[in-house]
Structures are given as C-alpha cells and as structure tokens.
Coordinates of all heavy atoms in Angstrom, one line a residue:
L1 N 136.2 167.8 -14.0 CA 136.1 166.6 -14.8 C 135.6 166.9 -16.2 O 134.8 167.8 -16.4 CB 135.1 165.7 -14.1 CG 135.3 165.3 -12.6 CD1 134.3 164.3 -12.2 CD2 136.7 164.7 -12.4
S2 N 136.1 166.1 -17.1 CA 135.7 166.3 -18.5 C 135.1 165.0 -19.0 O 135.5 163.9 -18.6 CB 136.9 166.6 -19.4 OG 137.5 167.8 -19.0
C3 N 134.1 165.1 -19.9 CA 133.5 164.0 -20.6 C 133.5 164.3 -22.1 O 132.7 165.2 -22.5 CB 132.2 163.6 -20.0 SG 131.3 162.3 -20.9
V4 N 134.2 163.5 -22.9 CA 134.2 163.8 -24.3 C 133.4 162.7 -25.1 O 133.6 161.5 -24.8 CB 135.7 163.7 -24.9 CG1 135.7 164.0 -26.4 CG2 136.5 164.8 -24.1
A5 N 132.5 163.1 -25.9 CA 131.7 162.2 -26.7 C 132.4 162.1 -28.1 O 132.7 163.1 -28.7 CB 130.3 162.7 -26.9
S6 N 132.6 160.9 -28.6 CA 133.2 160.6 -29.9 C 132.3 159.6 -30.6 O 131.5 158.9 -30.1 CB 134.6 160.1 -29.7 OG 134.6 158.8 -29.1
G7 N 132.5 159.6 -32.0 CA 131.7 158.8 -32.8 C 130.9 159.6 -33.8 O 131.1 160.8 -33.9
S8 N 129.9 159.0 -34.4 CA 129.0 159.7 -35.4 C 127.7 160.0 -34.7 O 126.9 159.1 -34.3 CB 128.8 158.8 -36.6 OG 130.0 158.6 -37.3
F9 N 127.4 161.3 -34.6 CA 126.1 161.7 -34.0 C 125.9 163.2 -34.4 O 126.8 163.9 -34.8 CB 126.1 161.5 -32.5 CG 127.2 162.3 -31.8 CD1 127.0 163.6 -31.3 CD2 128.4 161.7 -31.5 CE1 128.0 164.3 -30.7 CE2 129.4 162.4 -30.8 CZ 129.2 163.7 -30.4
F10 N 124.6 163.6 -34.2 CA 124.3 165.0 -34.6 C 124.5 166.0 -33.4 O 125.0 167.1 -33.6 CB 122.8 165.0 -35.0 CG 122.5 164.4 -36.4 CD1 121.3 163.9 -36.7 CD2 123.5 164.3 -37.3 CE1 121.0 163.3 -37.9 CE2 123.3 163.8 -38.6 CZ 122.1 163.3 -38.9
Q11 N 124.1 165.6 -32.2 CA 124.2 166.5 -31.1 C 124.0 165.8 -29.8 O 123.4 164.7 -29.7 CB 123.1 167.6 -31.2 CG 121.7 167.2 -31.1 CD 120.7 168.3 -31.2 OE1 120.9 169.2 -32.1 NE2 119.6 168.2 -30.4
I12 N 124.4 166.4 -28.7 CA 124.2 166.0 -27.4 C 123.0 166.7 -26.8 O 122.9 167.9 -26.7 CB 125.4 166.2 -26.5 CG1 126.6 165.5 -27.0 CG2 125.1 165.8 -25.0 CD1 127.9 165.8 -26.3
N13 N 121.9 165.9 -26.5 CA 120.7 166.5 -26.0 C 120.7 166.9 -24.5 O 120.1 167.9 -24.1 CB 119.5 165.6 -26.3 CG 119.3 165.3 -27.7 OD1 119.4 166.2 -28.6 ND2 119.1 164.0 -28.0
A14 N 121.3 166.1 -23.7 CA 121.3 166.3 -22.3 C 122.6 165.6 -21.7 O 123.1 164.7 -22.3 CB 120.1 165.6 -21.6
M15 N 123.0 166.2 -20.6 CA 124.2 165.7 -19.9 C 124.0 165.6 -18.4 O 123.4 166.5 -17.8 CB 125.3 166.7 -20.2 CG 125.6 167.0 -21.6 SD 126.8 168.4 -21.9 CE 125.9 169.8 -21.3
D16 N 124.4 164.4 -17.9 CA 124.3 164.2 -16.5 C 125.7 163.8 -15.9 O 126.5 163.3 -16.6 CB 123.3 163.0 -16.2 CG 121.9 163.2 -16.7 OD1 121.5 164.4 -16.9 OD2 121.2 162.2 -16.9
W17 N 125.9 164.0 -14.6 CA 127.0 163.4 -13.9 C 126.4 162.7 -12.7 O 125.6 163.2 -11.9 CB 127.9 164.5 -13.4 CG 128.8 165.1 -14.5 CD1 128.6 166.3 -15.2 CD2 130.0 164.6 -14.9 NE1 129.6 166.5 -16.1 CE2 130.5 165.4 -15.9 CE3 130.8 163.4 -14.6 CZ2 131.7 165.2 -16.6 CZ3 132.0 163.2 -15.3 CH2 132.4 164.1 -16.3
Y18 N 126.9 161.4 -12.6 CA 126.6 160.6 -11.4 C 127.9 160.3 -10.7 O 129.0 160.4 -11.2 CB 126.0 159.3 -11.9 CG 124.5 159.3 -12.4 CD1 124.2 159.9 -13.6 CD2 123.5 158.9 -11.5 CE1 122.9 159.9 -14.0 CE2 122.2 158.9 -12.0 CZ 121.9 159.5 -13.2 OH 120.6 159.5 -13.7
R19 N 127.7 159.8 -9.4 CA 128.9 159.3 -8.7 C 128.4 158.2 -7.8 O 127.3 158.0 -7.5 CB 129.5 160.4 -7.8 CG 128.6 160.9 -6.6 CD 129.3 162.0 -5.9 NE 128.5 162.5 -4.7 CZ 128.8 163.5 -4.0 NH1 129.9 164.3 -4.4 NH2 128.1 163.9 -3.0
Q20 N 129.4 157.3 -7.5 CA 129.1 156.1 -6.7 C 130.3 155.9 -5.7 O 131.4 155.7 -6.1 CB 129.0 154.9 -7.5 CG 128.5 153.7 -6.8 CD 128.1 152.6 -7.7 OE1 128.4 152.5 -8.9 NE2 127.3 151.7 -7.2
A21 N 130.0 156.0 -4.4 CA 131.0 155.7 -3.4 C 131.0 154.2 -3.1 O 130.0 153.5 -3.3 CB 130.7 156.5 -2.1
P22 N 132.1 153.7 -2.6 CA 132.1 152.2 -2.3 C 130.9 151.8 -1.3 O 130.7 152.4 -0.3 CB 133.4 152.1 -1.6 CG 134.3 153.2 -2.1 CD 133.3 154.3 -2.3
G23 N 130.3 150.7 -1.7 CA 129.2 150.2 -1.0 C 127.9 151.0 -1.0 O 127.0 150.7 -0.2
M24 N 127.8 152.0 -1.9 CA 126.6 152.8 -1.9 C 126.0 152.8 -3.3 O 126.6 152.4 -4.3 CB 127.0 154.3 -1.5 CG 127.5 154.4 -0.1 SD 127.7 156.1 0.5 CE 126.0 156.6 0.6
Q25 N 124.8 153.3 -3.4 CA 124.1 153.4 -4.7 C 124.7 154.5 -5.5 O 125.2 155.5 -5.0 CB 122.6 153.6 -4.5 CG 121.9 152.5 -3.8 CD 121.7 151.3 -4.7 OE1 121.5 151.5 -5.9 NE2 121.6 150.2 -4.1
R26 N 124.6 154.4 -6.8 CA 125.0 155.4 -7.7 C 124.0 156.6 -7.6 O 122.7 156.3 -7.6 CB 125.1 154.9 -9.2 CG 125.6 155.9 -10.2 CD 125.8 155.3 -11.5 NE 126.8 154.2 -11.5 CZ 127.2 153.5 -12.6 NH1 126.7 153.9 -13.8 NH2 128.1 152.5 -12.5
E27 N 124.4 157.8 -7.5 CA 123.5 158.9 -7.3 C 123.8 160.0 -8.3 O 124.9 160.2 -8.8 CB 123.7 159.5 -5.9 CG 125.1 160.1 -5.6 CD 125.2 160.7 -4.3 OE1 124.1 161.0 -3.6 OE2 126.3 160.9 -3.8
L28 N 122.7 160.7 -8.7 CA 122.8 161.8 -9.6 C 123.4 163.0 -8.9 O 122.9 163.4 -7.8 CB 121.4 162.1 -10.2 CG 121.3 163.3 -11.1 CD1 122.1 163.0 -12.4 CD2 119.8 163.6 -11.4
V29 N 124.4 163.6 -9.5 CA 125.0 164.8 -9.0 C 124.6 166.0 -9.6 O 124.3 167.0 -8.9 CB 126.6 164.6 -9.1 CG1 127.3 165.9 -8.6 CG2 127.1 163.4 -8.3
A30 N 124.5 166.0 -11.0 CA 124.1 167.2 -11.7 C 123.6 166.8 -13.1 O 124.0 165.8 -13.6 CB 125.3 168.2 -11.8

C-alpha cells in the first residue's frame, strides 16, 4: 500500500496505518 501526501507542507512527522473490517472498530496496524 502507498500513501502520498500532497499540498504545501514542510515535512511528515509521523506515519500510521489503520484498518477497519466490516462491523468492527478501526484499529491501528503500524
């Protein structure tokens, strides 16, 4: 999976990946 940040900014400080299965809470993956 890829996540591209666009727009005007200086830097990305931190990066997370979450996932959500049907009928379940969104959970932190990494």
Side-chain angles (χ1 to χ4, degrees):
L1 305 184
S2 300
C3 177
V4 180
S6 62
S8 297
F9 59 90
F10 289 154
Q11 66 182 38
I12 300 172
N13 299 316
M15 304 173 292
D16 303 338
W17 284 97
Y18 286 77
R19 70 184 181 189
Q20 187 168 22
M24 300 186 68
Q25 297 285 329
R26 188 174 299 184
E27 63 176 342
L28 178 64
V29 175

